[in-house]
Amino acid sequence: ILNSRQTWTMSIYILTLLPALIVDDLGPVLSITGSLGGGCIAYMAPGLCYLAVNGEEFLVFANQLLNKKKEGNSSGITEADLPLDGNAGQVISNNPTVEIEDGCKPLWWYIFGFPLWCSIASFGRSNMSDRISREGSDNITPQDMSEEDIMVPNGREFSIAIFFVIFGVVAVIAGVGSNLYVQLG
């Protein structure tokens, strides 16, 4: 019985061995593999990792884009979040979990692919939360960090990450398409 890492290794090995056994000329195989691997590793992976690692911040950013009209309360804390009668010990979380509300969204939300980006950010946020809870917060103490060490991503950085993912998809499609065109044409 193989563990997960061995299964992935064996699968990749078999997927690379089959074309080598079937095809006489490895040039086209290496060309297609290079365009797929290059586009994924150079462009798509960094952008997707950035969105996943900063998932909570991206969801806050996306929520702020949706709620631009409600700028009166910038902290996101409503009167309902405040302590009730005699419960002055209640503490409001510094890092509340943000969820994008269901319902009708503006057209630009779908044109720019925000459902996809938000699902990637939610996936990354849940995995980061699981990893932090497994490892514990003993590794980093407040005295180890200063204000300069804390980086809060902004909309420009998220836009660059999304651009790299889209550019990577276009590069992979163009690379594989041109390779297939040359080989078949």
Side-chain angles (χ1 to χ4, degrees):
I1 298 285
L2 301 175
N3 66 22
S4 177
R5 183 183 61 83
Q6 292 169 334
T7 303
W8 274 103
T9 303
M10 186 61 72
S11 301
I12 292 171
Y13 176 72
I14 290 171
L15 286 174
T16 56
L17 181 65
L18 287 177
L21 294 174
I22 295 171
V23 177
D24 293 337
D25 184 14
L26 284 181
V29 174
L30 293 175
S31 178
I32 290 173
T33 304
S35 64
L36 274 171
C40 291
I41 291 172
Y43 300 113
M44 290 192 298
L48 291 172
C49 287
Y50 189 83
L51 286 177
V53 168
N54 297 302
E56 182 70 30
E57 290 82 6
F58 180 79
L59 292 173
V60 168
F61 169 71
N63 212 10
Q64 287 173 348
L65 286 177
L66 282 175
N67 298 325
K68 277 264 188 206
K69 298 169 196 133
K70 304 175 189 173
E71 290 184 3
N73 190 0
S74 61
S75 67
I77 298 172
T78 64
E79 193 173 329
D81 296 325
L82 297 175
L84 300 175
D85 298 331
N87 192 0
Q90 184 177 358
V91 177
I92 298 174
S93 171
N94 290 341
N95 192 9
T97 301
V98 175
E99 294 294 332
I100 304 297
E101 296 176 10
D102 292 337
C104 188
K105 307 276 189 304
L107 183 61
W108 61 263
W109 179 264
Y110 300 102
I111 290 173
F112 293 120
F114 271 88
L116 173 66
W117 310 128
C118 288
S119 66
I120 292 168
S122 295
F123 178 76
R125 175 186 62 186
S126 65
N127 285 338
M128 288 298 289
S129 298
D130 292 346
R131 179 155 188 154
I132 289 171
S133 65
R134 269 197 322 264
E135 291 182 7
S137 59
D138 299 335
N139 299 341
I140 298 174
T141 57
Q143 59 266 24
D144 293 339
M145 296 178 64
S146 65
E147 286 294 320
E148 299 91 40
D149 294 333
I150 299 172
M151 186 209 69
V152 178
N154 57 30
R156 179 178 176 270
E157 293 165 351
F158 289 130
S159 300
I160 291 170
I162 290 171
F163 170 78
F164 269 94
V165 174
I166 293 171
F167 187 82
V169 170
V170 171
V172 165
I173 291 170
V176 171
S178 65
N179 283 315
L180 291 176
Y181 178 76
V182 167
Q183 296 305 315
L184 299 177

